[in-house]
Structures are given as C-alpha cells and as structure tokens.
Amino acid sequence: MRGTAGNYGRLGEEGAIGGPIVKDRLMARFAITNQDFSGQYHDSYRKEDANGYQYYDMRGEILAKPTDNLSILVKGHIGRNKTDVELDHVGLLAGGKDDQGYAQTSARNLQNNGRSDATTRRSGLSVNAQYAFAHGWTLTDIFGLEWNHFNVFSDDDASPAPIDYQENIGGVARVLSNEIRVASPQSKKIRYIGGVYYMRNLTQSYSQQPLYSPVDFGAGGNASSFNINTQDAAVFSAISVDLMPRLTLDVGARFTSETRQANGEAWAYATQAGNPYNTSDRVLTYINTNTNTYIDPATGSAISGPTLKKTFNRDSEDASLKYRFNSNIMGYLRYARGFRTGNYNTYVATASDFSLYNPETLTDYEGGVKARLWKGRAQINLSGFHYDYDNMQVTILQNTGTHTTNAASAVSNGFEFEGQVRPLDNFLATFGVTYQDAHYTSFTNASAPTPFNGGNPVNLSGQPLERAPRVTANLLLSYTLPVSFGDFAFQTDWRYTSRYRFQAWSDVTPTTPGALLSSAQAQALVRNAFSQKPVLMGNVRVAWHSLDKKTEVAFWMHNITNQLTYTNAFGEFFNGNISRYPGELRSFGFEVFRSL
C-alpha cells in the first residue's frame, strides 16, 4: 500500500494484492490507484483552482498453468481520467490585450469562462497463451480488446470575454487485435521468430464549435461526425545467426496491409445562446459521404472529396551486426526501415479539410558501442544516428484547427551518450546527453494560419522540426546512508532541454503577413509564444527504509527551481491572441509505503 499527500490538494492511494490460489497452477493479482490534484493555477473568473486532475485505475490479472508447458495470462483494466486543462493567454495587441480588450494579469491567474475539462474512460482485456513444445520451441497467441472514450472541452480564446470561441471534441475507439507467433529455442546458434497479426479498429469522432461556422464565422457554429474503420493484417519474421563466436547477425522483416474506410458528415448550424453545443439547427450540410456531398461553404460550389477507402501496403526491414570485442565491450551497426500509416483528417472547418494523408517512411542508420568498465562499476553507451524521413507526416495548426499533411522530406542527425557509474556501493550516478540536428530538407508549400502569411503557404525547407530540441541532457545522483534502524536514500535528478517550437511554421519570417502580425514585435511574440525556451528542471527525493525493506517514508519535491514551462500552443489570431497549455510548477509531498 502507498499513500501520497502534497501541496495543491494532492492526495493519492495505491494498493495491490496478489499471490497463489492453487500452488504452482493458479495465481492472481489485483491493483488499484486513485489520484487527486486541485491544480497550481487559479481561475479568477470562476474563483476556483485550475489545471488539476482526478484519475483512477483498476487492474487485475490471473495466471493459469494447467500443465507444465502451457500458461495462460489474462489481464483486465478499467479507469478514468478527468483533467482541467485551462489555457494561458498571450494578447497580441498593445499591453498584452486581445481584440476583446482582455489581458492576463499574471502567469498563474487564468480566466477561462468556457468549459475546459477533458475526460477519458478506458477499459480493456488481454489474453496471452503460450505453449512450450519439446526441444524449446514455443507457440504464443496474444489477444487484445480495448475501449477508449474521450471528451475534451476547450475555451479557445483563453479569456473571460462573453463570446463562445470554445469547442467540444470527443469520440470512442474500439480495438480488437490478435497475434500468433512461433519462436525457436533462444540458446541455439540460429534463432527464429515469426507470426501473423490482425487488428480491427473502429473510431467514431465528433466536434462542436459554437462560433466557427464556415458560413458566418463568429455568429454560427460548425460541427462534424466521422467514422474511421481500420483493418490491419501483417506477417512478420526475424532470424538471429551467430556467424562467429563474437559476431551476430539479426535480420527481420514485416509486411503490412492496412485498409482504412471513412464516412461521416460536417455541417454549419445556428448557435443557440443558451445551449451553444446544440447542433440540431442546421444551416448547411457541406459534407455528407453517404450522398457524395462536398460543398465549398464560402461559394456554395460543389468540390471533390477524398477517396473513402484506401489500402496501404508497406514492408518494414531491420538488420544489425553485433560484435563482442570482449565480455565487456560490444559494437553494433544497424539499418532499419519502417513506416507510419496514412489516415484521414476528420477535424474539419471547411470541406477541403476532410482529406487523406499518406504513410510516412523512416530509414534509420545507426552505430554504436556499449561497454562495461571498472570491473562492472561503470557502463557507457555511445551511438550515432541518421534518420531519413520520406513523406513525413506533419500536424500543422491552421485557422480553426489542426491538419496533418505530408512534408516532402526531413533528416535528423545526432548522437547519444549515456551511462552510469557506481564509485561506491551506496552511491550511483546516471547521465545522458543527446544532440540532434533535425530539419526539413524539402517542404516548400506548408500551410499556416491565414493571418500569419496572408493565407499564402510558407517554405519550411531547412527549418528545424517541431518538438525537436538540439540538446537534451539528464543527470541522476543517488546515495544511500545506512543507519541502525534502516537506511536513508537521497536522490536528485535534473534534465536540461534546449529551445524547441510547437508549430512547424512559427520561426519562419512571413513574406505577406496580415496586419495583426506585420510588425517585428508581433512576429517575435509569435516565435516566443509558440516555443519552449531552454529549461533546466530538477527534482529531489529523500526516503527512509526500514531494516526489512517493507516500510518506506519519503519526501519529494518536483521542479525545485519553479520553472514555468508550456506543453503546447495554438493561435486564435482572429481574436488577437495566442493560447498556451501551461506545465506543472513546483510541488512537494510525502509518501508512505508498506508491503506485507
């Protein structure tokens, strides 16, 4: 059992129980967790704490061994997350104001007058059955069934202005999968694994935007409802061969055939003042896949829509050579090629937003060395990599939503250096440094919100990828002090991240910006608001353990330097502001753990 209490109303309980039901034949385990957090920000409009959360999870599993060579593991889970996701406001006009005259007074004082809660409900079941044949061969069947329902409300203008620039996005996903594989004995010179995989996924999504009408923006609403049906079938195999006592070759391949099918509709509706999420009063249905209706809301003219059924056939490969110089040093070279499948854009504001984007292909060239030194007290890993992206999928913020498209190509070159050292039995240090130069090599026709470049595309060739800091580094120090009544463990960990941006276009200097963003000051504000500046964050934990290791009492503090960070940003340029998602500030708490 574990209990947690901290500032900002943080409370948590965890518990687990398990053990044999029938000796060596039937075992079970059940675990539950419940967490509450009031939030570190304050909404002075609602006069309540903001950006807190509540969640619970329950998990159970049963392991049955009817015979010595057959095992069946059944797992089930159910849970819910409810999070308050209020937005930070950056006004683009003088004094930090937006078009409604609102300016946020401080980083921690938010004023969102629309709903800002996000709820996720999930449940699932999996069955893993494994049969061991004579001579070490195994047959495994893995079945899974997952259900996920989400609902997200957002006050997009992040202000108390009496307008309904807010939205509701939700949906449900049902996934059924099954994998059958066979594996040879792993102690042999030649080792093999192969099998087949099947997946069926039905995703139903909807959106409601009370003031985002493509017919009369700012007065009426926009709504959509789409279904995506996916069927995925794959065959895979891999083989490992010890070419020489110190040299091993690993080769693997997978062929996947995935079919996606879409249907749904989108419409403009008359917004009701008392119930802005009532979408029943339709003004114009501009997409209806059942009747082949695709209309440009601005002109009323018919346009063409995407193909409603598409099959993607792709292969993936992996090959690596591993050479053991001695028992402590190993070098490797690796080549791999994989893909991320295509899909439909179903977050629509106009008929052209409903579109299909293609698979992304990634080719990875990598090499490195792994070494254990100082009689096993130190371990060091060094690797270099070159990632080559073709048809890279990029999700770009547009006027009233996001849209995924394919960039022509991108690369990422870099290295990783990580390791750990234990100079004393009770002192451990782990560390890591990653450097990457990730940028688009060709992306000349990227879309951006209309005010950013007057509705014209921007050239992102040579621009860094979003969410790709050049440098990340981490350090963890842990020291254990034995005492007569147990021990004290002291731990601190730190992470440095260099600047990165949230949107692909935000660092570009626009050639034809709208009047709102035409000044150098406004463009600098956009670059800063759509990025996370370099940040160094640290945590600390002090714990006491009893002599039998069954009891722990700990104090912890996260973000001890109280760094203000952001996790994402999007722009309501039509309202003269940018909205951001603030990160977690400094927090502290206590934990008590006891095992039986």
Side-chain angles (χ1 to χ4, degrees):
M1 298 290 294
R2 183 185 300 274
T4 302
N7 60 341
Y8 301 110
R10 189 188 301 270
L11 292 172
E13 309 86 32
E14 299 177 37
I17 186 171
I21 299 175
V22 178
K23 185 178 180 181
D24 298 331
R25 292 302 181 191
L26 188 63
M27 288 149 281
R29 186 177 187 274
F30 176 77
I32 186 170
T33 180
N34 183 72
Q35 305 290 329
D36 287 274
F37 182 51
S38 298
Q40 299 173 313
Y41 297 83
H42 184 72
D43 188 323
S44 57
Y45 178 86
R46 297 177 178 174
K47 296 180 175 58
E48 61 184 28
D49 293 331
N51 285 3
Y53 58 76
Q54 298 175 321
Y55 76 82
Y56 73 87
D57 268 299
M58 292 186 291
R59 296 178 178 270
E61 58 184 70
I62 297 176
L63 175 61
K65 294 184 176 181
T67 65
D68 291 341
N69 54 356
L70 175 63
S71 67
I72 303 173
L73 177 62
V74 181
K75 294 183 178 180
H77 69 90
I78 186 171
R80 188 195 75 162
N81 283 28
K82 186 173 183 180
T83 308
D84 179 48
V85 191
E86 296 207 21
L87 297 170
D88 177 84
H89 181 279
V90 179
L92 293 169
L93 306 182
K97 296 181 179 180
D98 61 16
D99 287 344
Q100 308 297 321
Y102 168 71
Q104 187 169 302
T105 57
S106 71
R108 293 180 61 176
N109 182 27
L110 313 177
Q111 294 194 49
N112 293 190
N113 65 340
R115 288 184 63 176
S116 59
D117 52 291
T119 302
T120 301
R121 296 178 178 87
R122 58 198 173 275
S123 61
L125 175 72
S126 68
V127 181
N128 185 326
Q130 186 175 93
Y131 186 85
F133 294 93
H135 311 298
W137 285 80
T138 60
L139 176 66
T140 304
D141 186 286
I142 303 173
F143 170 83
L145 185 63
E146 293 289 328
W147 178 88
N148 187 291
H149 180 277
F150 70 95
N151 192 230
V152 180
F153 290 88
S154 177
D155 182 27
D156 288 353
D157 61 305
S159 82
I163 51 178
D164 289 319
Y165 287 130
Q166 52 185 297
E167 60 183 318
N168 175 27
I169 301 173
V172 60
R174 302 175 182 89
V175 182
L176 180 150
S177 65
N178 197 80
E179 177 181 311
I180 301 174
R181 64 172 183 249
V182 61
S184 69
Q186 297 301 295
S187 59
K188 301 295 184 179
K189 183 177 180 179
I190 299 177
R191 300 167 295 279
Y192 170 81
I193 185 172
V196 294
Y197 172 82
Y198 175 80
M199 184 270 292
R200 180 76 179 267
N201 182 355
L202 175 61
T203 299
Q204 301 168 293
S205 62
Y206 61 87
S207 67
Q208 302 165 320
Q209 303 161 314
L211 286 187
Y212 289 179
S213 171
V215 175
D216 54 351
F217 185 86
N222 183 64
S224 65
S225 176
F226 286 94
N227 300 324
I228 306 296
N229 194 329
T230 303
Q231 294 191 70
D232 187 312
V235 57
F236 60 90
S237 67
I239 188 169
S240 296
V241 182
D242 294 332
L243 302 175
M244 296 189 298
R246 295 185 178 184
L247 183 64
T248 300
L249 172 66
D250 298 321
V251 178
R254 181 185 182 101
F255 178 80
T256 303
S257 179
E258 183 168 278
T259 300
R260 291 189 185 269
Q261 189 169 2
N263 66 81
E265 57 181 342
W267 63 96
Y269 68 91
T271 302
Q272 301 177 18
N275 188 5
Y277 293 119
N278 185 340
T279 68
S280 60
D281 189 3
R282 298 195 180 198
V283 174
L284 173 68
T285 298
Y286 57 91
I287 297 177
N288 187 324
T289 60
N290 292 329
T291 59
N292 197 31
T293 299
Y294 299 94
I295 298 173
D296 181 352
T299 64
S301 302
I303 60 176
S304 60
T307 178
L308 297 178
K309 187 176 182 179
K310 181 72 173 180
T311 297
F312 302 106
N313 295 319
R314 289 293 188 274
D315 58 282
S316 305
E317 300 84 31
D318 188 312
S320 64
L321 276 173
K322 301 174 184 176
Y323 185 79
R324 290 168 290 279
F325 295 94
N326 55 47
S327 60
N328 294 316
I329 301 176
M330 186 268 287
Y332 71 95
L333 295 172
R334 181 173 185 259
Y335 164 84
R337 186 178 66 149
F339 74 97
R340 181 162 55 180
T341 190
N343 205 346
Y344 289 88
N345 284 298
T346 57
Y347 187 104
V348 300
T350 65
S352 60
D353 287 341
F354 177 50
S355 58
L356 178 69
Y357 53 91
N358 292 316
E360 165 190 298
T361 301
L362 170 61
T363 305
D364 170 23
Y365 305 90
E366 186 176 336
V369 176
K370 299 182 179 182
R372 293 181 64 86
L373 308 173
W374 197 10
K375 297 181 179 180
R377 287 185 173 271
Q379 180 173 330
I380 294 176
N381 303 327
L382 176 63
S383 64
F385 59 86
H386 170 76
Y387 296 156
D388 205 340
Y389 297 90
D390 186 40
N391 273 341
M392 186 178 190
Q393 295 173 4
V394 183
T395 300
I396 292 181
L397 171 69
Q398 298 194 126
N399 293 323
T400 58
T402 57
H403 186 87
T404 300
T405 186
N406 292 99
S409 57
V411 297
S412 178
N413 301 307
F415 68 86
E416 295 180 347
F417 177 63
E418 62 179 7
Q420 66 178 43
V421 59
R422 189 181 291 275
L424 303 171
D425 290 342
N426 57 348
F427 179 70
L428 173 68
T430 66
F431 54 87
V433 177
T434 299
Y435 171 84
Q436 64 174 338
D437 175 14
H439 61 273
Y440 299 105
T441 53
S442 177
F443 195 9
T444 59
N445 197 37
S447 60
T450 297
F452 182 76
N453 200 39
N456 298 309
V458 293
N459 185 358
L460 297 182
S461 302
Q463 288 287 327
L465 303 184
E466 59 274 18
R467 301 184 181 276
R470 280 188 176 266
V471 179
T472 58
N474 62 80
L475 173 67
L476 181 146
L477 302 174
S478 177
Y479 178 76
T480 302
L481 177 65
V483 293
S484 60
F485 49 93
D487 67 65
F488 286 96
F490 305 88
Q491 178 178 298
T492 183
D493 62 276
W494 293 82
R495 180 177 178 85
Y496 169 79
T497 305
S498 62
R499 178 187 182 270
Y500 61 92
R501 59 185 182 175
F502 302 122
Q503 297 294 333
W505 43 262
S506 58
D507 278 1
V508 177
T509 300
T511 56
T512 56
L516 178 66
L517 304 177
S518 60
S519 69
Q521 181 181 7
Q523 292 173 21
L525 187 58
V526 168
R527 285 192 293 272
N528 292 333
F530 280 97
S531 66
Q532 173 58 55
K533 66 181 181 180
V535 62
L536 176 65
M537 296 182 66
N539 308 312
V540 65
R541 191 174 192 271
V542 180
W544 169 78
H545 303 101
S546 62
L547 288 171
D548 59 6
K549 304 297 183 183
K550 292 185 176 182
T551 301
E552 179 190 71
V553 180
F555 167 81
W556 52 263
M557 180 178 290
H558 296 162
N559 190 4
I560 60 178
T561 55
N562 204 29
Q563 295 290 308
L564 181 61
T565 60
Y566 297 93
T567 60
N568 204 354
F570 64 93
E572 299 300 308
F573 290 140
F574 50 79
N575 195 42
N577 77 287
I578 298 169
S579 300
R580 300 180 296 185
Y581 294 91
E584 188 169 328
L585 300 169
R586 179 168 53 215
S587 61
F588 63 84
F590 296 88
E591 292 181 3
V592 178
F593 170 79
R594 177 65 182 175
S595 64
L596 301 178

